[in-house]
């Protein structure tokens, strides 16, 4: 029942989002043609209850323009609220579209990724309640599972389809990052904590490419790409600091970033399409990795 209700919420969000503005009569017409309606019309009282449920569940407000009696998604709010809302709307739109596509499911190929569904609700609840969490953890680079880890969860982040929680490790006395799919036996402890004064989740990774931190200072980085690769970087920038110089047969992309292992791996993943121009230490790291890879074939 709960799953069916969520699907209805998602369908309403997706439909209004796609149309921009829509009357209740038109929404009801589309509703009757959808798989979530069960053949029942979208009654006025039911729609009112669904609007309230959508706001409580997704923090998405369905407003009504009294001059035209059309419904729309309220996108007002701060930058961080807008970012989260847009992410939820994109996810809802995709989910709603796929839920109505069972008849062509054999022609929709999805990517298999580790799931965080079990741990994410627990971690977010701990963040909301400002409570510590305790768990076991098996890191990707470790054979054995480490038990009895306690952290104060500061925030969560998704990167390359994996969810992470970033928090203060009580035993080690430092902020650490944990992948939710590697966590097990996650429980919320009845131990409250206070966020450090002035701590900003948005600023924590502002000089990073991905999920890894570095104690060094951010560097000014220049990457040279082919004209074809440049199109992908424009469509999906590697970092918010990205700027571009366009030349006849290539582009130069400039960044201000910490040099981290995951950024080096990102550069390597593009092969001959990307060349490091500066700084020298980043270029040396990439060359060293390429030589080590070549040695595997000698």
């Amino acid at each position: 029942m709960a799953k069916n209700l969520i699907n209805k919420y998602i369908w309403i969000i997706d439909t209004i989002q796609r149309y921009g503005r829509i009357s209740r009569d038109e929404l009801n017409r589309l509703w009757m043609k959808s798989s979530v309606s069960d053949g029942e019309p979208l009654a006025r009282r039911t729609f009112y209850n669904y609007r309230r449920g959508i706001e409580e569940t997704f923090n998405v407000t369905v407003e009504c323009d009294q001059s035209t009696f059309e419904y729309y998604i309220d996108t007002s709010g701060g930058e961080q609220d807008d970012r989260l809302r847009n992410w939820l709307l994109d996810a809802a739109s995709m989910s709603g579209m796929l839920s109505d596509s069972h008849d062509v499911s054999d022609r929709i190929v999805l990517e298999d990724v580790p799931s965080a569904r079990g741990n994410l609700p627990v971690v977010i609840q701990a963040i909301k309640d400002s409570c510590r969490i305790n768990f076991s953890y098996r890191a990707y680079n470790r054979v054995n599972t480490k038990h009895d880890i306690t952290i104060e969860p500061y925030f969560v982040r998704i990167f390359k389809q994996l969810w992470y929680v970033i928090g203060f490790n009580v035993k080690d006395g430092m902020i650490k990052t944990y992948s939710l799919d590697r966590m097990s036996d996650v429980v919320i402890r009845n131990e409250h904590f206070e966020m450090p004064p002035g701590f900003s989740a948005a600023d924590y990774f502002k000089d990073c490419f991905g999920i890894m931190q570095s104690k060094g200072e951010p560097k000014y980085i220049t990457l040279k790409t082919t004209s074809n690769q440049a199109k992908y970087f424009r469509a999906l920038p590697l970092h918010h600091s990205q700027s571009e110089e366009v030349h006849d047969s290539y582009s130069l992309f400039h960044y201000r970033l910490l040099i981290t292992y995951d950024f080096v791996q990102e550069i390597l993943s593009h092969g001959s399409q990307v060349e490091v121009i500066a700084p020298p230490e980043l270029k040396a790291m990439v060359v060293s990795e390429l030589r080590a890879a070549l040695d595997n074939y000698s």
Side-chain angles (χ1 to χ4, degrees):
M1 179 65 182
K3 180 180 178 182
N4 189 40
L5 189 60
I6 292 296
N7 287 339
K8 291 177 179 180
Y9 291 169
I10 289 173
W11 184 92
I12 291 171
I13 295 171
D14 173 53
T15 303
I16 297 176
Q17 177 74 1
R18 283 190 284 115
Y19 279 79
R21 287 171 174 263
I22 189 171
S23 67
R24 204 179 72 81
D25 287 342
E26 177 65 9
L27 186 66
N28 185 58
R29 186 184 69 81
L30 296 170
W31 171 269
M32 290 296 294
K33 294 171 63 177
S34 74
S35 62
V36 298
S37 70
D38 299 322
E40 297 292 331
L42 185 58
R44 188 178 299 276
R45 172 56 60 180
T46 301
F47 182 46
Y48 174 81
N49 291 334
Y50 285 175
R51 287 172 64 192
R52 186 170 58 185
I54 286 169
E55 185 165 9
E56 292 174 353
T57 305
F58 294 102
N59 194 29
V60 172
T61 304
V62 178
E63 292 284 7
C64 180
D65 187 333
Q66 295 299 326
S67 63
T68 62
F69 297 102
E70 291 177 319
Y71 292 91
Y72 63 94
I73 302 295
D74 180 11
T75 57
S76 63
E79 182 181 347
Q80 186 61 27
D81 285 343
D82 287 345
R83 188 179 294 114
L84 178 58
R85 183 183 295 110
N86 289 337
W87 190 88
L88 285 171
L89 288 173
D90 286 344
S93 175
M94 182 61 67
S95 179
M97 178 186 65
L98 292 177
S99 68
D100 255 355
S101 303
H102 297 298
D103 52 339
V104 291
S105 60
D106 60 330
R107 295 164 65 182
I108 299 175
V109 182
L110 302 176
E111 184 178 2
D112 242 347
V113 295
S115 174
R117 284 193 303 270
N119 293 329
L120 185 59
V122 181
V123 172
I124 289 180
Q125 187 62 51
I127 291 174
K128 290 170 65 176
D129 296 339
S130 295
C131 284
R132 291 175 172 175
I133 57 173
N134 187 268
F135 56 92
S136 299
Y137 192 73
R138 185 175 182 179
Y140 285 103
N141 58 349
R142 299 288 177 85
V143 175
N144 297 321
T145 299
K146 188 173 183 179
H147 301 282
D148 200 28
I149 298 173
T150 301
I151 69 168
E152 298 173 351
Y154 288 173
F155 65 99
V156 292
R157 179 178 182 180
I158 188 170
F159 178 69
K160 290 188 178 293
Q161 297 182 290
L162 290 175
W163 281 97
Y164 299 86
V165 58
I166 294 84
F168 181 78
N169 184 298
V170 175
K171 181 179 179 181
D172 295 344
M174 59 190 300
I175 297 176
K176 289 189 171 183
T177 300
Y178 298 91
S179 179
L180 265 63
D181 67 292
R182 310 301 292 176
M183 297 165 62
S184 59
D185 305 319
V186 185
V187 295
I188 301 176
R189 301 176 65 127
N190 190 26
E191 299 173 0
H192 292 268
F193 69 91
E194 297 290 334
M195 289 288 290
F199 182 89
S200 167
D203 289 342
Y204 187 77
F205 285 116
K206 70 182 179 70
D207 294 324
C208 301
F209 161 72
I211 206 68
M212 293 185 174
Q213 272 280 4
S214 170
K215 294 181 180 179
E217 290 295 319
K219 303 290 184 180
Y220 288 98
I221 294 166
T222 300
L223 302 180
K224 180 180 178 181
T225 75
T226 62
S227 297
N228 191 55
Q229 181 61 44
K231 298 173 186 176
Y232 291 94
F233 280 10
R234 289 183 206 122
L236 193 63
L238 296 183
H239 189 253
H240 62 79
S241 65
Q242 177 174 297
S243 62
E244 180 185 5
E245 290 180 40
V246 181
H247 297 264
D248 289 340
S249 59
Y250 65 93
S251 282
L252 295 177
F253 286 92
H254 303 284
Y255 306 90
R256 185 180 183 273
L257 274 170
L258 290 165
I259 297 177
T260 55
Y261 176 77
D262 52 0
F263 184 58
V264 172
Q265 294 303 305
E266 177 67 19
I267 294 172
L268 291 167
S269 72
H270 298 288
S272 61
Q273 301 295 304
V274 176
E275 176 188 354
V276 177
I277 302 300
E281 57 266 42
L282 176 58
K283 188 170 187 174
M285 292 171 70
V286 171
V287 169
S288 177
E289 288 288 327
L290 289 171
R291 285 175 176 162
L294 191 59
D295 285 344
N296 290 331
Y297 298 93
S298 60

